[in-house]
Amino acid sequence: MSLIDLLATAAELPEAWRSRVVGRFGGANFKLLRMDAGAYEEETHDFAEGLLVLDGNMRLSVGGVVVEVGAGQLYVVPAGVAHAVASGSRGTLAILDA
C-alpha cells in the first residue's frame, strides 16, 4: 500500500489543468489537477466521469447550466454528456474515469 498526500501532490503539479494519474483501480484512473480560475473547454467522454473537489470550488457547466461544486462534493458526469469548467474555478480537483 502507498500513502499519497493528494493536496501536496496537486500543489507540485507544474501546470494548472494538466492532470496526473496518481492511481489505477480496476481499470479506472484516479487523477489530480489544479484549477487556476481559467476556463476549461467543453468535452464529452464515452464513459462516466467523477469530479471530486478536494479544496476550492469548481464552476461546472453542464448543458449550459453552471453548477457550483464545492470542497468535499462529487459531481458524476454521465457518459456522453458535454461538460466544461467555467472561469472562476480554483482549487484541487480529483478525477475518476476509465
Side-chain angles (χ1 to χ4, degrees):
M1 257 200 258
S2 296
L3 177 64
I4 300 169
D5 183 324
L6 298 176
L7 297 179
T9 300
E12 294 171 357
L13 294 174
E15 295 179 55
W17 301 111
R18 300 277 266 168
S19 65
R20 174 183 294 164
V21 175
V22 296
R24 289 189 50 82
F25 308 93
N29 295 311
F30 188 94
K31 304 179 207 176
L32 289 177
L33 68 76
R34 285 184 300 106
M35 300 178 286
D36 69 351
Y40 191 82
E41 63 193 39
E42 185 174 82
E43 60 185 8
T44 305
H45 310 288
D46 60 355
F47 49 83
E49 182 177 48
L51 303 172
L52 173 62
V53 177
L54 299 177
D55 69 352
N57 185 64
M58 177 177 59
R59 303 183 70 240
L60 184 65
S61 177
V62 181
V65 176
V66 175
V67 178
E68 299 283 338
V69 184
Q73 294 182 318
L74 170 70
Y75 191 99
V76 178
V77 181
V81 173
H83 55 286
V85 179
S87 63
S89 301
R90 291 186 179 275
T92 307
L93 181 65
I95 302 171
L96 301 98
D97 67 19

